[in-house]
């Protein structure tokens, strides 16, 4: 080895260049592998962030949808409560007969809108979940509720404006008498005979004028019957 080194020492220079080139190539390859690992890591992190962001947006959208649906259900319920006043309050039914007159186009339109909204309203928790996740169905329900409320308010405003003006003076007097008689029929201070007679006379006064809603009739008949039996 010493003899070889002594006679061929000059070979160190060309081999040194080759060795240096090899080392630089290995170093560059290692750096490229490290860069690729970092790039793969960066892409994985970006993908995780994108998935997390998408999941967050989905949760936000679901929560927003649920809040909007809850508001729609509340608005639907408030409209039902307003209508229920006319169905069970005999005084309001007689003061504003248009609200129960199914011959009037505004009343018919209101009832059609109500039936449509009622048909689309979710009744069970699973139906609420399904509707909150169905954008098209929720939009249809929203439009139906808005149409229901709008039709009700139009009919109510016209009923308040017209009150009993569609009836002749004689008919208005009959309705006023019927209203007073129904109050008497429910008056616990009145005698049994007075309540019975008042209820029967009120029915005759209203005959041919208006048809009270079934819930109003049932309610007042139960109350009067209870008082009469008592």
């Amino acid at each position: 080895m010493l003899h070889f080194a002594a006679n061929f020492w000059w070979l160190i220079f060309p081999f040194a260049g080759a060795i240096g080139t090899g080392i630089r190539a290995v170093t560059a390859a290692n750096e490229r592998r490290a860069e690729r690992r970092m790039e793969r890591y960066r892409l994985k992190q970006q993908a995780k962030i994108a998935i997390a962001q998408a999941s967050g947006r989905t949760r936000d959208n679901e929560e927003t949808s649920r809040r909007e649906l809850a508001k729609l259900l509340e608005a639907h319920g408030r409209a039902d409560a307003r209508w229920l006043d006319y169905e069970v309050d005999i005084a309001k039914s007689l003061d504003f007969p248009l609200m129960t007159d199914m011959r009037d186009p505004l009343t018919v339109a209101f009832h059609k809108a109500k039936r449509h909204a009622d048909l689309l309203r979710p009744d069970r928790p699973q139906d609420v979940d399904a509707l909150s996740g169905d954008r098209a169905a929720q939009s249809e329900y929203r439009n139906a509720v808005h149409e229901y409320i709008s039709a009700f308010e139009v009919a109510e405003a016209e009923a308040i404006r017209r009150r009993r003006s569609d009836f002749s003076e004689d008919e208005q007097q009959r309705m006023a008498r019927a209203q007073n008689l129904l109050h008497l029929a429910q008056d616990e201070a009145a005698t049994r005979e007075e309540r019975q007679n008042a209820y029967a006379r009120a029915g005759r006064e209203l005959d041919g004028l208006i048809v009270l809603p079934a819930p109003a009739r049932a309610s007042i008949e139960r109350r009067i019957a209870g008082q009469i039996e008592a």
Side-chain angles (χ1 to χ4, degrees):
M1 291 293 294
L2 292 175
H3 175 74
F4 178 82
N7 290 286
F8 298 99
W9 58 268
W10 51 272
L11 292 174
I12 293 174
F13 297 102
F15 277 117
I19 292 171
T21 300
I23 292 173
R24 287 193 296 273
V26 171
T27 301
N30 290 335
E31 290 176 352
R32 286 194 297 272
R33 283 195 294 271
E35 289 175 357
R36 287 195 293 270
R37 285 196 297 270
M38 289 299 297
E39 180 65 14
R40 286 194 295 270
Y41 175 78
R42 184 179 65 82
L43 292 174
K44 288 180 179 179
Q45 292 302 111
Q46 288 180 343
K48 290 179 180 179
I49 292 171
I51 291 171
Q53 290 175 339
S55 178
R57 285 194 296 270
T58 299
R59 286 194 298 271
D60 290 343
N61 290 338
E62 289 176 351
E63 291 175 1
T64 299
S65 179
R66 286 183 175 277
R67 286 194 298 270
E68 291 179 352
L69 182 54
K71 290 179 180 179
L72 279 174
L73 290 168
E74 289 174 3
H76 195 161
R78 286 193 299 270
D80 283 348
R82 291 170 65 186
W83 164 238
L84 186 61
D85 284 344
Y86 292 97
E87 281 203 310
V88 300
D89 189 333
I90 199 73
K92 290 191 73 170
S93 295
L94 292 173
D95 283 337
F96 310 106
L98 176 67
M99 292 301 290
T100 57
D101 186 357
M102 294 303 293
R103 297 168 299 179
D104 190 279
L106 292 178
T107 307
V108 172
F110 149 59
H111 279 277
K112 284 183 177 179
K114 173 176 167 53
R115 284 195 296 270
H116 185 213
D118 289 345
L119 182 65
L120 297 176
R121 174 169 47 193
D123 295 322
R124 300 173 300 174
Q126 56 266 40
D127 295 333
V128 173
D129 292 339
L131 187 58
S132 65
D134 189 331
R135 182 171 298 180
Q138 187 166 337
S139 178
E140 183 181 10
Y141 178 54
R142 182 189 306 110
N143 292 337
V145 171
H146 291 170
E147 179 64 25
Y148 167 31
I149 294 172
S150 177
F152 176 85
E153 290 178 344
V154 169
E156 185 178 48
E158 184 65 9
I160 293 172
R161 185 186 71 83
R162 287 159 56 177
R163 295 182 70 90
R164 300 176 183 172
S165 62
D166 293 340
F167 297 88
S168 68
E169 183 176 351
D170 178 65
E171 290 171 337
Q172 291 185 43
Q173 291 175 357
R174 288 173 57 190
M175 292 174 69
R177 288 195 298 270
Q179 199 165 26
N180 291 331
L181 289 167
L182 288 171
H183 284 307
L184 176 59
Q186 299 174 82
D187 186 358
E188 294 183 357
T191 66
R192 177 176 180 272
E193 290 75 13
E194 287 173 336
R195 294 198 298 270
Q196 287 177 319
N197 291 333
Y199 185 51
R201 288 173 57 195
R204 289 194 294 271
E205 292 287 359
L206 292 176
D207 187 33
L209 294 182
I210 64 172
V211 177
L212 295 175
R217 296 197 306 271
S219 175
I220 196 169
E221 286 170 5
R222 283 195 302 270
R223 292 173 62 187
I224 293 173
Q227 291 168 353
I228 291 173
E229 290 172 2

